[in-house]
Amino acid sequence: MSKYQVNDKGYYGKFGGAYIPEMLYPNVEELRQEYIKIMESENFRRDFDKLLHDYVGRPSPLYLAERLSERYQANIYLKREDLNHTGAHKINNTIGQILLAEHLGKKRIIAETGAGQHGVATATVCALKGLECVVYMGAVDIERQAPNVARMKMMGAKVIAAESGSKTLKDATNEALRDWINNPVDTHYIIGSVVGPHPYPDMVARFQSIISSEAKQQIMDRTGKLPDYVMACVGGGSNAIGMFYHFLDDEGVKLIAAEAAGKGVHSGQSAATSVLGKEGVLHGSRTILMQTEDGQVIEPYSISAGLDYPGIGPQHAYLHETGRVEYVSITDDEAMQAGLLLTQLEGIIPAIESAHALAQLEKMRFQKDDHIIVCLSGRGDKDLDNYMKYFSL
């Protein structure tokens, strides 16, 4: 087993575990005992692979962005998760978890969402399978991601606003956990990122690892060698773990994760967890999170609804501690300019989340024969309102 993967106790080094209320223990324990067995069964693999190919549209392309490459004097490839059905990488995980829920005999699905992409992906697979779907979403996010809210409702999902705290992703997650505690028997909670109690971080990482599995084969077929850099944005961190997963043991490949610095790392309006955070427990696992001296969670901020989360997944905390992944901070302004640049050079409007990873290119200097893969985790249609306001379009 790779030293960067979870151990048999559910930990990545000192991070991870399952810090949960007693009422959730049967659900989480059932999942812990069954998920590997189900995921490795022939029936599951057949159904999962078929849906990824026929329904999601995988494999997603690895696109050599020639004009972007010319600007940065290197070979920049985009892993096009934005071309997946529903417009983001989130569908990889929800396809896997809905099949898992079926195997466990669950009839009701709940989820949390920030930017709405995970909510849309969950509503999509529930419609596909005819299961009841409830999605918790911060009231602020509901307002700034209205098109995604409409998509969820059209597919039959009930969207419930989280009105506590900052009314964003953290608060939606709290509400979803409360629902699961009150409905422990018939309900499966589809967590959208590599966060939460074990086995969620490992399970979601395994479903999202399809991103790096494909990318590694595609870059080897194209260039005959591994990439020099692999880059992705990180909030909770699911697209980043998926993008890094099959490169973790290739120590010569430099892995870079871009966090949201909001209006500046030390501005008081930021979500740069690796810089501002310290060890603690958040949403059921030990990780790094932004908190006050007495352990109260500090409200995060980012222009990107998918990145304003006060922590990172426990595997990211371990990768940060060991130095295997470099975590960098990108401001709102830097991300928005990077999003506009990609749009104008390549005709691709990226999600603002993904634009954070693209913005890091501006801060680096490359060799002409360097090969860089950037995960384009989602498309920017959902962010058009933010783009329009920011650039006065």
Side-chain angles (χ1 to χ4, degrees):
M1 176 189 293
S2 165
K3 65 181 179 180
Y4 300 112
Q5 299 300 340
V6 74
N7 66 23
D8 58 1
K9 305 294 184 187
Y11 282 87
Y12 307 86
K14 60 188 174 185
F15 300 107
Y19 299 81
I20 52 175
E22 188 175 347
M23 288 182 68
L24 277 184
Y25 181 80
N27 274 18
V28 173
E29 181 60 15
E30 177 188 32
L31 202 56
R32 187 190 70 79
Q33 290 186 9
E34 298 295 331
Y35 82 110
I36 295 289
K37 193 187 313 178
I38 294 171
M39 288 174 69
E40 292 182 348
S41 70
E42 186 176 337
N43 287 346
F44 182 92
R45 291 305 316 178
R46 181 195 61 221
D47 293 344
F48 184 56
D49 292 345
K50 187 172 189 300
L51 283 172
L52 287 184
H53 183 273
D54 296 347
Y55 190 72
V56 176
R58 304 203 72 90
S60 65
L62 184 70
Y63 167 67
L64 174 59
E66 293 189 1
R67 295 191 69 203
L68 200 67
S69 297
E70 184 179 348
R71 177 182 177 92
Y72 293 113
Q73 294 295 291
N75 304 290
I76 313 287
Y77 294 84
L78 304 178
K79 183 56 176 165
R80 298 291 309 275
E81 293 300 297
D82 59 314
L83 294 181
N84 292 344
H85 177 45
T86 70
H89 72 292
K90 294 292 187 183
I91 191 75
N92 304 323
N93 171 49
T94 59
I95 288 281
Q97 287 208 49
I98 202 73
L99 293 176
L100 195 68
E102 279 192 322
H103 279 263
L104 293 172
K106 305 297 183 183
K107 304 297 183 188
R108 179 174 179 266
I109 301 297
I110 60 173
E112 87 298 331
T113 194
Q117 291 302 98
H118 174 59
V120 169
T122 301
T124 298
V125 296
C126 287
L128 181 68
K129 294 294 184 179
L131 295 179
E132 180 184 355
C133 181
V134 176
V135 178
Y136 291 90
M137 189 170 187
V140 169
D141 291 338
I142 285 177
E143 185 176 342
R144 60 182 172 176
Q145 299 292 343
N148 273 342
V149 175
R151 290 186 184 100
M152 286 183 261
K153 290 181 175 177
M154 283 184 71
M155 286 184 281
K158 182 178 181 181
V159 181
I160 299 179
E163 299 284 359
S164 60
S166 59
K167 304 178 184 179
T168 58
L169 178 58
K170 167 182 68 68
D171 312 293
T173 305
N174 290 338
E175 293 298 326
L177 283 169
R178 287 191 191 99
D179 183 311
W180 206 24
I181 289 171
N182 291 324
N183 300 280
V185 177
D186 68 337
T187 298
H188 177 70
Y189 179 12
I190 298 186
I191 293 181
S193 193
V194 284
V195 301
H198 178 69
Y200 276 102
D202 181 54
M203 187 170 69
V204 176
R206 287 170 183 261
F207 288 137
Q208 292 294 1
S209 72
I210 185 69
I211 302 172
S212 52
S213 175
E214 288 178 1
K216 191 171 187 177
Q217 187 62 54
Q218 289 167 325
I219 196 75
M220 290 295 293
D221 290 346
R222 193 83 62 91
T223 69
K225 66 172 192 173
L226 292 171
D228 298 283
Y229 300 90
V230 174
M231 301 163 62
C233 65
V234 59
S238 66
N239 92 92
I241 285 294
M243 189 70 252
F244 298 159
Y245 197 92
H246 289 283
F247 294 109
L248 287 173
D249 294 331
D250 300 316
E251 301 280 353
V253 178
K254 299 178 182 66
L255 306 177
I256 299 175
E259 291 182 327
K263 296 184 178 178
V265 172
H266 300 290
S267 66
Q269 291 182 285
S270 173
T273 302
S274 70
V275 179
L276 302 172
K278 57 184 180 181
E279 292 177 32
V281 173
L282 179 64
H283 295 143
S285 65
R286 185 164 191 82
T287 187
I288 298 173
L289 66 145
M290 302 196 306
Q291 55 188 306
T292 61
E293 288 300 320
D294 57 356
Q296 298 300 308
V297 173
I298 294 174
E299 300 292 350
Y301 163 81
S302 169
I303 194 171
S304 165
L307 300 185
D308 58 358
Y309 187 68
I312 49 177
Q315 189 173 14
H316 279 293
Y318 183 57
L319 294 171
H320 174 260
E321 183 187 63
T322 58
R324 177 64 188 96
V325 176
E326 179 185 2
Y327 290 78
V328 299
S329 303
I330 300 295
T331 66
D332 289 352
D333 291 339
E334 291 167 337
M336 297 303 281
Q337 293 298 331
L340 183 64
L341 181 68
L342 184 73
T343 304
Q344 296 183 340
L345 289 183
E346 299 287 346
I348 299 170
I349 304 174
I352 297 176
E353 287 85 350
S354 312
H356 283 70
L358 294 164
Q360 178 61 16
L361 294 169
E362 193 72 28
K363 300 183 176 185
M364 300 174 68
R365 294 294 176 268
F366 302 105
Q367 302 295 316
K368 278 197 171 184
D369 59 351
D370 281 347
H371 294 273
I372 301 104
I373 301 176
V374 181
C375 185
L376 205 62
S377 56
R379 59 176 172 248
D381 306 35
K382 67 179 180 60
D383 294 320
L384 271 185
D385 191 48
N386 276 344
Y387 277 123
M388 289 164 65
K389 288 177 183 172
Y390 186 87
F391 292 111
S392 301
L393 299 173

